[in-house]
Amino acid sequence: MVPVDALHLGPDLVATAGTWERSKNDARFRPRFPAVAGTEFAVIEWLNVGGGSWRELVRVTVPSTGRAPRAIVESIDPRSPVVPANLLRFAVTFSTEMEEGSAAGHIQLLDETGVVMSGALLEMPPELWDREHRRLTVLLEPGRIKRGLQPHEQAGPPLREGGTVTLNVEASIRDAGGSALLEKADRTYRVGPPIRSRIDPLQWEVDWPEAPSEPLVVRFDRPLDRALARRYVQVLDAHGRAVAGRATLDDTAELWIFTPAEGSADQGSWMLRVDSRLEDVAGNSVRRVFDRDLDKPEDDGIDEPVVILTQAGDIRSQ
Amino acid sequence: MPTTATSTLLSAGPVLFAPEVSADGSVVLFAADVARATVFAFELPAETPAADGAVVNVDQLGSKVASLLGVEREDAVIRGMTVHPVSHAVYLSVARGRGAEAGVAVVRAGTDGQLGIVELDDLPVTSFELDDAPSDDEQLDAWLDGTDLNSQPVEIHGVTLNIARVPAQRSTITGLAWVDGTLFVAGLSNEEFSSRLRQIPYPFDGSATATSVEIFHVDHGKYETQSPIRALTAFDGGSSILASYTCTPVVQFSIDELRGEGLVRGRTVAELGPMNQPFSIVSYDRDGEEFLLVSNTRHPLLKIPAAAVAGQGSLTAPMSEPDHSLGVPREELDHPGITWMASLDRGAVVAVQLVDGDANLRTFRAADL
């Protein structure tokens, strides 16, 4: 038994791993690994005539699952119409669990005329899925973003300020059941100026709540990475414990609204905890500039793992 | 954390044999399960020692592996390769199938050219998960979002709320290396663009050291960046790591400096240029001298003398200067299409070479490299 597309190996054919069970009138093949729907196999036998050769007896096709495509792209981040010229990554969120390994080669960056920008995205694999296999992180080629590197100097940055780019997700990416997407998806962006500075929480506009039932509203100094904003910005009470509530980030990824849970108290002593690993969409963190200019003192990094923003408007390290 | 339960790989990734052989002949195969950010260590039974000079060559490896695994050619993709220290058999980690039938197989290619499936499931195994559950101060259970898959009812202030835990970020594993009882693991996170290099003592005891490794870029000396490591190998008698980054510099680290404290700055010793990704790095000896090979997605196979790495100062001249250096002298070898590489013994390198749309397994003697 071999897949039909391996028949070209001729005398070098390698049989598919599995076991044959023979009875008087029939023989059954049990493959070592589950057969993939749609695969066509040939049953062959060795003829010891002349130099010997394989003879094909019959072909068998594994039935296709018949599952209709139903997975879609739910969102593509960033969600704002403008991205910085040194944008580091996109995130594509699917409606269902997806198959790892099927995305490579099926997501492209297109220029104004719809032509694929070769070498703009970091090649997959590895495919950077989250644990649920629903959100895929797509990195732009970092060597072309970083100033001074050969790829940046020779091939130029992938995004050029003033231009337009489209992230294109082909429908051929497969879900965990092996079906393609219901439809392709894309999102088009204008390219704005690059962002080349550390995130500065002191520049954030924070509306602290007057009552424990009111929301806490933060306007960041720039659009932040959505996944990291979710993980690394937190409201603490006077004892340093997390205040329960619901946080949302709007489509610009700049406006963060925290709605405290019912029963919250002592809002006057709340603080904002910011992990210094928090990154913006260009990979700059609270800690470091993505490509630090050693001649600029303002590019110097900080070592604190966490900064605490207080209602007095100052910053404490922790 | 280490476990001793029998386990099955769910996804294919880099593989590496520890070079040490137990008294009973058994050896340890490390296999990265990239989807679970876990390294498994399988204890493989003894194999027959390779005959002197025996090498591994398999024509049309890609088609043969797919046929063995019962899938069409494009549904079998090699994700890692290593060489058995005793038998010199080549072990390949292969992603097979698709959809619900997607999985992983480890395929063995012997010095006789025969292919077989390595049955791992009943072997003694331990494992180490890179992404542990978030520590207490990272437990962000302050989320109230009933739509989240991870939400659970929790009582706060006498009120029951649907609390969603923020899922831990996921690392994927891009490279493995071995130095004196320690496994080096390079990876890439789906969230932070980080550059941590993990060192995990084996046998796994739950401990690991992670060092942030940053680089000065080669041809400017003006900028400093962090970037994940893509491929790595130990060299210089285990005193150094040579790593290639996702943005193409080749960087040397001294093992002594990787203690999990502060920030370690690697010495950029070469740059590989644009539109290219480093694929695999391997070390070998020729005429008593150590060399390193770097395979690339677009550039030719590069050969770098290890002595030149030691003697190469960190590159700092701006690329705009006419006499700027691109780092250590490197030679472009005329072996096109090389992807995965592994050292067969110090005197030969096994490589997957793409020829006419199919992969071939080839052994190159040091004299030919």
Side-chain angles (χ1 to χ4, degrees), chain A residues 1-3 5-6 8-9 12-17 32-41 65 88-89 99-101 118-120 122-135 137 139 141-144 146-155 174-179 225 227-235 242-248 256 258-265 273 275 277 279 283 285 287-295 306 318, chain B residues 11 34-35 37 59-60 63-64 66-75 79 96-102 104-106 115 117-121 129 131-132 134 137-150 156-157 159 161 163-174 188-194 212 214-227 230 246-249 263 265 271-277 297-298 319 326 330 358:
Chain A
M1 182 80 92
V2 292
D5 79 341
H8 69 90
L9 288 167
D12 287 342
L13 269 175
V14 174
T16 294
R32 165 64 183 80
F33 297 104
V36 174
T39 309
E40 190 180 12
F41 285 92
T65 56
L88 176 62
R89 66 192 140 214
E99 176 191 322
E100 183 149 352
S118 173
L122 184 64
E123 284 182 22
M124 295 181 272
E127 292 181 5
L128 300 171
W129 291 96
D130 70 348
R131 285 170 185 245
E132 280 73 42
H133 277 86
R134 283 186 53 201
R135 194 182 80 241
T137 301
L139 292 170
E141 167 57 64
R144 290 181 60 184
K146 292 176 173 181
R147 294 167 292 177
L149 272 180
Q150 268 200 66
H152 179 89
E153 302 293 331
Q154 293 179 12
R174 295 187 295 260
D175 67 20
S179 297
D225 180 85
L228 293 172
R230 184 176 182 191
R231 177 185 312 288
Y232 289 149
V233 183
Q234 210 178 0
V235 181
V243 177
R246 175 184 179 146
T248 55
W256 189 83
F258 177 82
T259 308
E262 212 174 302
S264 299
R273 179 188 194 275
D275 190 304
R277 289 174 289 183
E279 290 180 15
S285 67
R287 191 180 299 199
R288 310 189 65 75
V289 179
F290 182 63
D291 51 350
R292 173 187 174 200
D293 186 336
L294 296 170
D295 293 337
V306 169
Q318 183 189 326
Chain B
S11 63
V34 294
D59 289 338
Q60 302 181 91
S63 295
K64 288 177 180 172
S67 186
L68 176 69
L69 301 179
V71 293
E72 291 171 358
R73 176 72 192 86
E74 69 267 23
D75 284 337
R79 297 268 192 243
R96 73 162 298 279
R98 56 187 139 90
E101 287 80 37
V104 54
V106 174
L115 300 180
I117 288 163
V118 182
E119 298 294 351
L120 296 171
D121 288 357
E129 189 180 343
D131 295 333
D132 288 337
D137 66 337
E138 287 178 302
Q139 284 283 5
L140 305 187
D141 50 7
W143 292 80
L144 220 120
D145 188 344
T147 63
D148 197 297
L149 293 170
N150 301 309
I156 295 176
H157 313 304
V159 182
L161 301 167
I163 300 291
R165 289 261 160 93
V166 177
Q169 65 177 16
R170 206 198 106 191
S171 298
T172 189
I173 297 167
T174 55
L188 193 57
S189 154
N190 71 323
E191 293 189 353
E192 292 162 52
F193 196 66
S194 63
S212 288
E214 305 211 350
I215 41 178
F216 285 107
H217 278 320
V218 104
D219 36 22
H220 42 76
K222 189 170 183 236
Y223 302 108
E224 179 183 62
T225 69
Q226 53 181 337
S227 176
R230 183 81 168 219
T246 45
C247 49
T248 78
L263 192 66
R265 292 197 168 87
E271 242 217 278
L272 305 180
M275 313 291 274
N276 176 60
Q277 285 294 318
T297 53
R298 287 198 177 79
M319 211 172 80
L326 292 181
R330 80 288 302 263
D358 206 344

Side-chain angles (χ1 to χ4, degrees), chain B residues 187-260:
Chain B
L188 193 57
S189 154
N190 71 323
E191 293 189 353
E192 292 162 52
F193 196 66
S194 63
S195 53
R196 283 199 303 166
L197 182 62
R198 294 177 175 86
Q199 292 158 264
I200 308 170
Y202 182 81
F204 299 139
D205 60 7
S207 71
T209 308
T211 308
S212 288
V213 283
E214 305 211 350
I215 41 178
F216 285 107
H217 278 320
V218 104
D219 36 22
H220 42 76
K222 189 170 183 236
Y223 302 108
E224 179 183 62
T225 69
Q226 53 181 337
S227 176
I229 291 173
R230 183 81 168 219
L232 74 169
T233 190
F235 75 109
D236 197 11
S239 69
S240 287
I241 291 277
L242 195 72
S244 62
Y245 277 74
T246 45
C247 49
T248 78
V250 176
V251 177
Q252 178 264 339
F253 297 98
S254 293
I255 301 273
D256 288 350
E257 293 177 2
L258 301 173
R259 295 190 204 95

Side-chain angles (χ1 to χ4, degrees), chain A residues 9-63:
Chain A
L9 288 167
D12 287 342
L13 269 175
V14 174
T16 294
T19 49
W20 284 97
E21 293 163 16
R22 293 169 206 278
S23 60
K24 193 172 179 184
N25 296 319
D26 61 6
R28 287 163 187 266
F29 181 72
R30 191 180 300 276
R32 165 64 183 80
F33 297 104
V36 174
T39 309
E40 190 180 12
F41 285 92
V43 180
I44 52 173
E45 70 171 351
W46 182 252
L47 283 183
N48 228 345
V49 181
S53 64
W54 290 103
R55 183 175 68 151
E56 190 177 324
L57 299 176
V58 68
R59 291 193 178 194
V60 189
T61 301
V62 182

Side-chain angles (χ1 to χ4, degrees), chain A residues 69-151:
Chain A
R70 55 187 173 84
I72 57 165
V73 171
E74 276 187 350
S75 62
I76 298 176
D77 279 286
R79 299 177 192 179
S80 53
V82 182
V83 291
N86 60 341
L87 178 75
L88 176 62
R89 66 192 140 214
F90 299 95
V92 182
T93 305
F94 298 87
S95 59
T96 186
E97 184 184 351
M98 302 296 288
E99 176 191 322
E100 183 149 352
S102 77
H106 298 295
I107 297 182
Q108 309 92 11
L109 205 57
L110 311 178
D111 68 10
E112 284 89 345
T113 60
V115 173
V116 173
M117 300 165 68
S118 173
L121 300 177
L122 184 64
E123 284 182 22
M124 295 181 272
E127 292 181 5
L128 300 171
W129 291 96
D130 70 348
R131 285 170 185 245
E132 280 73 42
H133 277 86
R134 283 186 53 201
R135 194 182 80 241
L136 177 69
T137 301
V138 180
L139 292 170
L140 283 109
E141 167 57 64
R144 290 181 60 184
I145 299 171
K146 292 176 173 181
R147 294 167 292 177
L149 272 180
Q150 268 200 66

